[in-house]
Amino acid sequence: MIHIIAFGEMLAEFMAERIDQRLDEPGSFRGPFPSGAPVIFADQAARQGARVKYIGHLGADAFGDAIHDRLVQAGVDVGCVKRELLPTGTAFVTYASDGSRSFVFNVTASASGRLGRDSIRDDVLQGCQYLHVMGSTLNNDGAIKAVDALLSQAEAFGVKVSFDPNVRVEMLQFEPMAAALRKVFERCHVFLPSETDLEFFYPGLSLEEAIAQCLQRDQLEWVALKLGNGGCRYIDRNQSLHAKPFPVTEVDPTGAGDCFGGTFMAAIAQGFEPQRALHLANAAGALAVTRLGPMEGNSTPDQLNAFLQEDLRNDRQIA
Ligand code: ATP
Ligand code: MG
């Protein structure tokens, strides 16, 4: 039985080597790194022991091979990953000294842009536990049609929906995206926002007010809130937990949220209590930011245990 279905953009990422390097003049980049928010999530969930199936599109090129092989190595079922006669999607990213990032994406015109209604087999969700949706995926019409088909199927087969909104203001220039994000939010059972995501859904409300509003929705059962270097929280109708951050040296924050989500959902799907799931996800997110590359800091249970042991030895967790 498949625990989790993930789907969406599959990208080769290239990272500028120098801070404040520009994207409109020559410079050195490191890559290709396998990337795309749902790919990072799926890789981590599988590494953490969940049975994960991926739906997406790769080019029949070397970048596609790299991403395909990486998912296979993690144990992800790639039976629904199609190879296309188009280049694999790419992302070029540069970091500024103020901590901001700039991107050049090629998603819609790449193999990744082939995601659409036809990507979704009619029974693909049958017998699955969770459908995981990444908000960043909903940035073109085909992807929105695919998510519509998956949400209908989830309802028909009684599959629960987990949702990481991953709202990127630049992406909202594609106008249908905002409505698509709200639609998934209305249907989700497990919600994995950051503070910025909550502001998108509940502008003008405080964090606590926004969380209270979330839990007004009948369907929504669990909220796992990502707080960056502030750790994370878990809230349901009976309890509210705060996990303090593990003190680490942040090398590259990219992908921490996706790694957090993959860990949390893998733990939940395998029957762990939310408190344990939150602890593991908090640790996996912290470990992720210590490595350069979008998913180079993803971890197996052994690697996560080693990190937790080290933390205990150093008595490092902030009290
Ligand atoms: P993104 O979408 O860019 O991946 P996000 O906003 O979804 O990011 P973050 O809050 O940045 O996700 O990271 C997820 C979790 O990882 C945090 O809630 C925390 O548990 C852990 N984490 C992230 N950054 C740090 C850090 N600097 N120190 C300790 N833990 C961190
Ligand atoms: Mg995120």
Side-chain angles (χ1 to χ4, degrees), residues 299-313:
S299 47
T300 61
D302 281 351
Q303 288 165 328
L304 207 48
N305 280 333
F307 173 78
L308 289 166
Q309 289 301 325
E310 175 80 0
D311 188 73
L312 273 181
R313 265 201 300 280

Side-chain angles (χ1 to χ4, degrees), residues 166 168 194 226-229 231 246 248 250 255-257 260 282 285-286 289:
N166 231 341
R168 300 277 183 263
S194 64
K226 292 169 282 178
L227 299 168
N229 61 9
F246 288 91
V248 289
E250 188 174 296
F260 174 98
N282 191 31
V289 303

